[in-house]
């Protein structure tokens, strides 16, 4: 019932022990009450965090680093709603938020897309009936284009320069309409997108060609909650699931010559085929020639129990949160 947004400091690398585990507890710097469940959040810049609520409200919190406090900087009440914005129970969960400062895009259970600007009270643009089903996640493809995933297995591309409220492109999983929960765009090749959904499968799409995924990879045994390309090393991809696992997918070349990422036990490796001709042109994620090379998968949480709900990566650091009400930091991804 009582939810909070918290800022933590997890110290610096100087305190890493022999095994790479951080020595000493993370410090809670500050926190602030939040109305409703936190469905998604993202930094807008160094000081501001955009938070999506199950009440349909979107809040921008400011982190004041001089005195370590958080304050509500701006709030769009009931940015997402089922009936109308004025009824007390009309809010619909805001399920996803993505920032490209100063722009903020939100999606929700009401099938609505909002485009906000950090300094403006009203929405710049709202696409009311963007979807008849729940929109689960959104990402920027480029500054004027976004991509949404929904609960019937579709990806829709929206060109924000167009005034018409129709997607410029629709891609979908064939057969069963498996809900898609998460999406991430390849940081260097904007046409490559990865999604994960209800069935735990990882789908890789090339939005330039066809309307179906380029590859479907068997992954988790339950819902995939989050998928992320490594921002500076996109041959590496990370996925986490309701089944309590967090997988590191590695398509970089010469898998055989690389050190093991996890030195402790419980390392399970599967090999997938892919092609490495001219890596700069053909991404490993899009190729399918079994004779060339392979993909390595490592489960970073060998003794899995509870759902891994969220993850993020930067440099050698991986942070993830689980249903055990704990946040874990792994600082030696590529050790």
């Amino acid at each position: 019932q009582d939810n909070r947004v918290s800022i933590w400091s997890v110290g610096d690398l100087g305190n890493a022990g022999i095994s790479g585990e951080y020595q000493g507890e993370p410090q809670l710097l500050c926190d602030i009450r939040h109305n409703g469940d936190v469905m998604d959040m993202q930094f807008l810049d160094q000081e501001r965090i955009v938070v999506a609520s199950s009440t349909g409200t979107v809040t921008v919190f400011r982190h004041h680093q001089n005195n370590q406090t958080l304050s509500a900087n701006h709030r769009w009440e009931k940015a997402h709603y089922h009936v109308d914005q004025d009824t007390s129970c009309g809010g619909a969960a805001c399920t996803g938020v993505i920032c490209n400062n100063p722009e903020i895009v939100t999606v929700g259970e009401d099938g609505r897309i909002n485009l906000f600007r950090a300094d403006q009270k009203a929405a710049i643009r709202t696409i009311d009936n963007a979807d008849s089903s729940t929109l689960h996640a959104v990402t920027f493809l480029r500054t004027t284009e976004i991509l949404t995933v929904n609960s019937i297995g579709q990806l829709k591309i929206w060109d924000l320069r167009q005034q018409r409220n129709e997607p410029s492109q629709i891609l979908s999983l064939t057969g069963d309409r498996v809900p898609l929960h998460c999406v991430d765009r390849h940081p260097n090749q904007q046409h490559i997108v990865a999604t994960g959904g209800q069935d735990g499968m990882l789908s890789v799409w090339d939005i330039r060609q066809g309307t179906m995924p380029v590859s479907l990879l068997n992954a988790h045994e339950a819902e995939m909650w989050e998928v992320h390309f490594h921002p500076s090393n996109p041959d590496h991809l990370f996925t986490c699931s309701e089944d309590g696992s967090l997988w590191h997918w590695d398509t970089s070349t010469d898998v055989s010559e690389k050190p093991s990422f996890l030195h402790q036990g419980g390392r399970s490796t599967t090999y997938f085929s892919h092609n490495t001709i001219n890596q700069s042109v053909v991404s490993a994620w899009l190729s399918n020639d079994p004779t060339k090379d392979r993909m390595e998968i490592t489960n970073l949480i060998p003794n899995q129990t509870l759902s891994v709900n969220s993850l993020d990566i930067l440099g050698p650091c991986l942070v993830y949160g689980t249903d055990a009400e704990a946040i874990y930091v792994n600082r030696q991804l590529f050790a």
Side-chain angles (χ1 to χ4, degrees):
Q1 296 304 308
D2 179 23
N3 296 312
R4 308 187 84 77
V5 171
S6 309
I7 301 252
W8 297 79
S9 162
V10 290
D12 54 34
L13 276 167
N15 295 339
I18 298 164
S19 65
E21 287 304 301
Y22 172 65
Q23 305 295 301
E25 292 292 307
Q27 298 293 312
L28 176 64
L29 297 179
C30 50
D31 63 2
I32 192 168
R33 286 198 63 158
H34 180 268
N35 218 351
D37 294 345
V38 173
M39 304 296 288
D40 196 9
M41 60 180 173
Q42 206 186 30
F43 278 98
L44 176 68
D45 55 27
Q46 292 286 335
E47 293 190 331
R48 291 178 294 177
I49 306 123
V50 182
V51 182
S53 171
S54 58
T55 64
T57 293
V58 178
T59 310
V60 182
F61 290 104
R62 187 178 285 276
H63 175 214
H64 306 274
Q65 295 173 4
N66 51 355
N67 60 357
Q68 289 306 342
T69 55
L70 273 166
S71 65
N73 184 237
H74 192 79
R75 191 173 273 130
W76 293 283
E77 296 284 349
K78 286 198 192 144
H80 295 273
Y81 54 92
H82 283 304
V83 190
D84 61 69
Q85 275 176 302
D86 304 324
T87 48
S88 59
C89 59
C94 176
T95 51
V97 56
I98 192 83
C99 303
N100 185 13
N101 192 6
E103 297 190 323
I104 299 162
V105 173
T106 68
V107 296
E109 276 181 7
D110 53 357
R112 198 173 262 109
I113 299 172
N114 290 308
L115 171 64
F116 296 111
R117 212 162 265 139
D119 45 7
Q120 297 190 21
K121 291 232 180 328
I124 305 290
R125 173 94 188 270
T126 294
I127 304 177
D128 273 326
N129 300 310
D131 218 298
S132 54
S133 64
T134 295
L135 289 169
H136 281 142
V138 59
T139 189
F140 273 99
L141 288 178
R142 42 182 69 82
T143 49
T144 56
E145 252 185 347
I146 56 166
L147 184 147
T148 58
V149 295
N150 69 12
S151 58
I152 56 170
Q154 293 175 320
L155 284 70
K156 295 185 180 181
I157 297 171
W158 306 84
D159 186 338
L160 298 173
R161 292 165 303 188
Q162 300 286 340
Q163 281 314 302
R164 60 195 182 95
N165 294 340
E166 300 291 324
S168 55
Q169 198 176 338
I170 299 178
L171 303 93
S172 66
L173 294 166
T174 49
D176 300 336
R177 298 185 153 207
V178 178
L180 292 171
H181 290 303
C182 53
V183 58
D184 196 30
R185 189 204 82 201
H186 191 289
N188 312 336
Q189 302 185 41
Q190 293 166 325
H191 54 278
I192 301 175
V193 172
T195 62
Q198 191 84 30
D199 56 0
M201 296 276 277
L202 172 65
S203 308
V204 181
W205 309 71
D206 180 347
I207 59 175
R208 297 169 307 181
Q209 53 186 21
T211 56
M212 289 159 52
V214 178
S215 54
L216 282 169
L217 300 168
N218 270 315
H220 301 280
E221 288 162 26
E223 293 92 341
M224 186 189 295
W225 292 131
E226 195 109 57
V227 56
H228 276 298
F229 285 101
H230 192 288
S232 53
N233 198 347
D235 284 346
H236 300 268
L237 179 101
F238 299 83
T239 59
C240 65
S241 167
E242 179 71 29
D243 67 11
S245 60
L246 193 162
W247 286 15
H248 174 180
W249 306 69
D250 176 9
T251 66
S252 57
T253 48
D254 296 329
V255 166
S256 53
E257 294 170 21
K258 283 202 323 253
S260 153
F261 285 102
L262 272 194
H263 299 297
Q264 59 264 50
R267 185 166 171 281
S268 60
T269 305
T270 322
Y271 293 106
F272 281 106
S273 305
H274 78 71
N275 181 353
T276 52
I277 46 159
N278 199 346
Q279 268 320 98
S280 59
V281 180
V282 178
S283 167
W285 294 108
L286 299 184
S287 34
N288 51 8
D289 177 352
T291 59
K292 293 283 181 167
D293 206 353
R294 51 199 185 169
M295 185 190 303
E296 185 177 31
I297 300 173
T298 310
N299 181 8
L300 298 181
I301 315 176
N303 315 324
Q304 56 206 53
T305 47
L306 298 168
S307 173
V308 184
N309 302 319
S310 167
L311 73 93
D312 207 357
I313 29 172
L314 189 65
C317 279
L318 166 76
V319 59
Y320 58 95
T322 76
D323 269 359
E325 296 189 12
I327 299 165
Y328 299 88
V329 181
N330 172 346
R331 302 168 161 281
Q332 292 204 311
L333 265 189
F334 303 111

